[in-house]
Amino acid sequence: MRLFKDEQTNRRFSRMQWRMLFATMIGYTLFYFMRKNFSFAMPGLQQDCGISKSMLGNFLFWGGIVYGLSKFVNGIVGDKVAPRKMLCFGLLACTLVNVAFGFAPEIAARLGNGEQGTGNGAALVWTFGLLLVLNQFFQGTGFPPCAKLIAFWVPPKELATKMSVWNTSHSVGGGLVAKICGVLMGLGVIGSANQGVGMWRWCFWVPAIIAGALLRYSERDKAFSEWFALHVQPIWQGGMGRFTSLFPFSVNEIVIYLAIAAAVFFLIRDITR
């Protein structure tokens, strides 16, 4: 699609558009690395830490609730914050939380009686629960900046095609972390009858290491944003105005979201009684 009269400017815009697309794909793939890894670490958490399947199910339930609420809240925040800063902050926060996941027994020992092991039951459960809630909350900072950048950089006539390309980051992230964590947990059975003992820690550490190493690439939109504001934004300022609103929800949408939030609240209250 030609946006400029100058062919050189058109080519440069196309290159920068694809670089933005791949940078956000890498960024969102890393979010998947640090969200889907918990499920693969669960057998080790059961065996090594003595956490029951029922409690792990509670972790996943509350994590899903927090993740959904976080995407709603951060969707509003994302309209007010620079995408690069929000994306990088979320990735950095998830990286630190995943590192802490691997040290959860040691953290629980400090919060409990000072001894590691399954005897710290309550402290260990609270530690994992708190870390999972924090991780899921920061996970909600991933999609809003990506959606904002794509909406800014991709003209409406190309949006469906480019968004389809970007959406492959979900499958790529989920598939790669499944392979990585599967191999890691498999290493725990070598010379041992206890599946995954100790290796669950690396299900958190390895994705965190990969995310930390690639974090720098995902923040490379600063120059893009400046070039966009100078050359592109004036062209479709009117057509993109709806994406720059500081509060993009109508009154009816707000009422619906509040009703859903109230229903979830009363459901959780009844379940936890």
Side-chain angles (χ1 to χ4, degrees), residues 27-134:
Y28 204 71
T29 297
L30 296 178
F31 275 106
Y32 255 67
F33 269 34
M34 296 183 287
R35 182 162 79 248
K36 298 297 185 180
N37 55 348
F38 186 84
S39 298
F40 298 99
M42 285 169 56
L45 296 179
Q46 288 180 255
Q47 183 69 38
D48 204 12
C49 302
I51 299 178
S52 67
K53 291 182 179 179
S54 175
M55 188 56 64
L56 290 172
N58 288 335
F59 286 165
L60 296 177
F61 170 78
W62 284 104
I65 296 295
V66 171
Y67 179 58
L69 293 175
S70 175
K71 291 185 75 172
F72 172 77
V73 172
N74 285 298
I76 299 174
V77 174
D79 281 327
K80 303 180 181 181
V81 179
R84 178 179 63 90
K85 293 181 179 179
M86 187 173 188
L87 184 67
C88 293
F89 171 78
L91 279 174
L92 178 61
C94 288
T95 300
L96 295 176
V97 171
N98 272 262
V99 171
F101 260 124
F103 292 105
E106 288 76 13
I107 297 173
R110 289 184 174 274
L111 297 176
N113 57 18
E115 298 179 1
Q116 297 184 29
T118 58
N120 280 324
L124 192 60
V125 167
W126 275 102
T127 301
F128 274 112
L130 178 60
L131 289 174
L132 183 63
V133 166
L134 286 175

